[in-house]
Each structure stands twice: as C-alpha cells, then as structure tokens.
C-alpha cells in the first residue's frame, strides 16, 4: 500500500461524535504523516471550532434532524428536512468529487449520513462507528449500505441485520485520556491533597441538570474539595446569572470553577477523584480510559433511552454509580458524591472496573480497518 491515504471523516453535532473522530485522525496523522485528512460536518455545528483547533481541514454541509411527532408543525419540519437531505446529498457529491477519498469514516450525527450514503453509492469503502449501545436514527438509515459497522460494545452486535459486517472496537478516545498520569495532572493544575470533582452534562449542556448542580454548589460551599463544572454552550448563556440569583458567589468561593467548555478534559479527568456526567458513549469511554470513579445521570431525552443502556453496562460491571434524573436533585448528587469521596476502597474498585471496561486501543483498531478498506479500493 502507498505510504499515504486520503481519508474523509464525517462527524458532527456534539463532542461525543467529534472527539472520537479526532482521536482516529490524530493517530492516522502520526502513523502516516503524508496522509490527507478531510473532515465533513454541519455548517452550524461545534465541529467547525473543534476540528480546526486540532489542525484539520473541514468542509461543511447543511443538515436537519427529524422529529418523532405527527403535530402539523413537526410534519412540516420533516418535509423541509427531506429537502435539506437532498441538498446535503448534492453537497456531499461535490465534496467527494473534489477530494476523492480512498476511504470514508463516519462517527455519527446527522452530518455523517449524507457523506456515508453517497460514498457507499459510489462504491467508495465506508466504515460507520456507532458509539452507543443502541443505534441512533442516522446510523439506522445508512448501516445497511456501509462496508463495516464498528460498535463500542460487543453487547450491541444483535442490533444489526448484517452481523457479518459488525466489529466491536470500543470507543476511540484521545491518547491523553489513557496516558496522562494522575500525579502529573494534579501538579499541572496546582492541586495539593484536596479532592477534585469534575462535572459536565455534555457539550451543549442540560438545563434541568445545570439547575441541580447549582443546588449542589450551594451545599458544597464549605467543603474542602475543588469543583470544576462545564455548563455547555447553551448553559453558558443563562447559568452565570442563575448561580448569582441562587446565592452562590463564585468570586468568594474560588474552589468552585464554572466555565462553558473544558478544553483540557484529559488533564482534569486524570486528576479528578469523581466525575459527574451524562451517559453519552464518548464521555463514558473517556472516563473509562482515565479510570476515574464516576456518578452518571443518563439523559431521559434521547432516542431509545440509549444513555440508560450505556450506563447500565458500566453499572453492571461495578464501574459507575447511576442515578436517574427523575430521582435526582442537588441534595442527592451532593450526598452521593460526599459518600463516594469518603469511601477509598469503593473508588479503588471502581478504578479497576473502569480499566477493565476501557478499550484503550480502539483508535488503533479503527485505523487498521480503514487501511484494510482502503486496500480494497486500490486493488
């Protein structure tokens, strides 16, 4: 095989789709420095910020979601979405004609569907990575057309009709999650012996859970630990004022830090004693790679309850504490976190269980599959 490749990677919508794609792209850039890598995402997605930040080129297209409702306004939305998909197919054809990739990888989100669909139609080798235990709509729309279906959990194999195309590869995470040492991370952050809590509800944020974390903050004002919370892009618009209105003066309590997005998450997870988060597959695999004890609150507002199914896999293996949003408030979060910080033995057991869950060579597995697929293109 030639020393370099031309690879198109389609990903977008949330960090849960983008970060795994970046992990594979970084490995490809390292292993085959002459390779040409082009990302494709949505023109209004956060990938337009995250991808160039890592030094990769990106092209965009306009995509739309589908609503699961028969209300007249939602039906009209879906009619318009069909038109948007047709235009996205045309834009995907333009990108494929211009770039002429050897292989195409999609890691989820509606932005990945047009590129994978059109690439498969042109007989360009294609691979789709599905992060969640249950496939999402974009995956179901294209999984019968792609050459390889790559899943995070072996338990997901029976979700697909073409089992012979399904390969369990884990979830790619950036190498820093695996190799950053706890002592180095804590030194970089200027931490002493005090515990560190990291909390986030996803790259977009979750309004109700962000409200509950403010109650958590009010309860922790006099605790000796450090707490870093990421509001997400939507949360950042209203949460700073909401925090002040609820009696939390962050200027007077520097142990609590609130920010829109955490760009040094591998460092924070390595240093953390507890992570509090949703149950998106990307997040869970990053936590597993860092082997950090965690408290998970699955989102009830996702297709097929896939976050609850993701969380159940970790809970069953003793790697996570799972709280359901309907039963969870700031007090519950606070007391659960405080109890976990006081239980060294349980945290150690959770770290071990997390290491058993993590597939630390996931990006390498996907990289090798891409090489094999590209070989079929060039044969």
């Amino acid at each position: 095989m030639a020393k370099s490749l031309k690879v198109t990677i389609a990903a977008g919508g949330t960090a849960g789709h983008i970060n795994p794609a970046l992990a594979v792209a970084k490995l490809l850039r390292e292993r085959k420095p002459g390779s040409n890598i082009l990302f494709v995402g949505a023109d209004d997605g956060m990938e337009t910020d995250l991808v160039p930040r890592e030094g990769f080129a990106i092209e965009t297209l306009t995509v739309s979601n589908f609503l699961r409702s028969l209300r007249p306004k939602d039906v009209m939305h879906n009619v318009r979405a069909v038109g948007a998909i047709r235009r996205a197919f045309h834009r995907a054809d333009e990108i494929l004609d211009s770039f002429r990739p050897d292989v195409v990888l999609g890691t989820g989100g509606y932005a990945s569907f047009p590129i994978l669909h059109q690439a498969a139609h042109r007989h360009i080798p294609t691979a789709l990575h599905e992060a969640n235990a249950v496939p999402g709509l974009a995956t179901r729309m294209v999984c019968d057309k792609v050459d390889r279906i790559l899943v995070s959990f072996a338990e997901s194999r029976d979700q697909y009709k073409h089992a012979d195309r399904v390969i369990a590869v884990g979830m790619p995470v950036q190498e820093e999650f695996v190799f950053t040492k706890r002592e180095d991370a804590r030194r970089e952050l200027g931490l002493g012996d005090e515990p560190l809590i990291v909390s986030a509800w996803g790259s977009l944020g979750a309004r109700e859970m962000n409200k509950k974390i403010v109650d958590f903050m009010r309860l922790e004002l006099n605790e000796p630990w450090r707490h870093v919370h990421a509001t997400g892009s939507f949360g950042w618009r209203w949460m700073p004022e909401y925090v002040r209105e609820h009696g939390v003066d962050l200027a007077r309590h520097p142990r609590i830090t609130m920010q829109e997005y955490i760009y040094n998450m591998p460092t924070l997870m390595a240093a953390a004693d507890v992570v509090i988060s949703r149950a998106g597959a990307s997040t869970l695999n990053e936590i597993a790679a860092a082997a950090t004890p965690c408290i998970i609150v699955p989102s009830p507002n996702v297709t097929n309850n896939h976050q609850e199914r993701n969380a159940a896999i970790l809970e069953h293996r003793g790697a996570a504490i799972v709280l359901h949003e309907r039963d969870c408030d700031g007090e519950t979060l606070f007391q659960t976190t405080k109890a976990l910080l006081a239980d060294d033995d349980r945290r150690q057991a959770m770290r071990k269980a997390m290491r058993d869950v993590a597939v630390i060579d996931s990006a390498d597995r996907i990289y090798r599959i891409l090489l094999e697929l590209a070989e079929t293109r060039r044969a």
Side-chain angles (χ1 to χ4, degrees), residues 164-206:
D164 58 315
R165 301 182 194 173
V166 180
I167 306 172
V169 296
M171 181 74 167
V173 299
Q174 298 181 58
E175 288 187 346
E176 292 87 348
F177 284 102
V178 178
F179 297 113
T180 301
K181 294 182 179 179
R182 176 174 169 80
E183 56 270 23
D184 293 340
R186 292 183 69 84
R187 187 181 308 110
E188 179 180 335
L189 296 170
L191 296 172
D193 295 332
E194 69 272 28
L196 172 65
I197 299 164
V198 176
S199 60
W201 305 118
S203 52
L204 302 179

Side-chain angles (χ1 to χ4, degrees), residues 252-270:
R252 294 179 57 192
H253 296 277
R255 287 181 178 272
I256 305 172
T257 303
M258 189 173 70
Q259 55 200 72
E260 179 179 358
Y261 188 80
I262 296 173
Y263 289 102
N264 63 334
M265 188 62 89
T267 301
L268 280 170
M269 278 198 188

Side-chain angles (χ1 to χ4, degrees), residues 8 33 55 59 77 81 99 103 106 111 135 151 164-165 192 209 212 218 220 223 233 279 316 328 331 343 350:
T8 295
E59 295 283 352
H77 171 92
F99 188 67
V103 62
V151 296
D164 58 315
R165 301 182 194 173
M209 292 310 302
K212 293 176 183 182
R218 288 194 299 106
E220 71 175 339
E223 295 294 337
S233 57
H316 178 72
C328 179
E331 174 78 20
D343 193 339
M350 292 174 75

Side-chain angles (χ1 to χ4, degrees), residues 13-30:
T14 68
H17 294 133
I18 302 161
N19 287 336
L22 285 171
V24 175
K26 288 180 179 180
L27 184 64
L28 179 60
R29 183 168 60 187
E30 175 188 329

Side-chain angles (χ1 to χ4, degrees), residues 217 220-222 227 247-257:
M217 288 177 179
E220 71 175 339
L221 290 178
N222 296 316
H227 179 192
V248 179
D249 185 349
L250 295 180
R252 294 179 57 192
H253 296 277
R255 287 181 178 272
I256 305 172
T257 303

Side-chain angles (χ1 to χ4, degrees), residues 224-245:
W225 60 63
R226 293 273 298 274
H227 179 192
V228 178
H229 177 68
T231 67
S233 57
F234 293 153
W236 192 246
R237 300 175 187 177
W238 59 269
M239 197 170 172
E241 182 178 356
Y242 186 87
V243 168
R244 289 191 294 271
E245 290 174 350

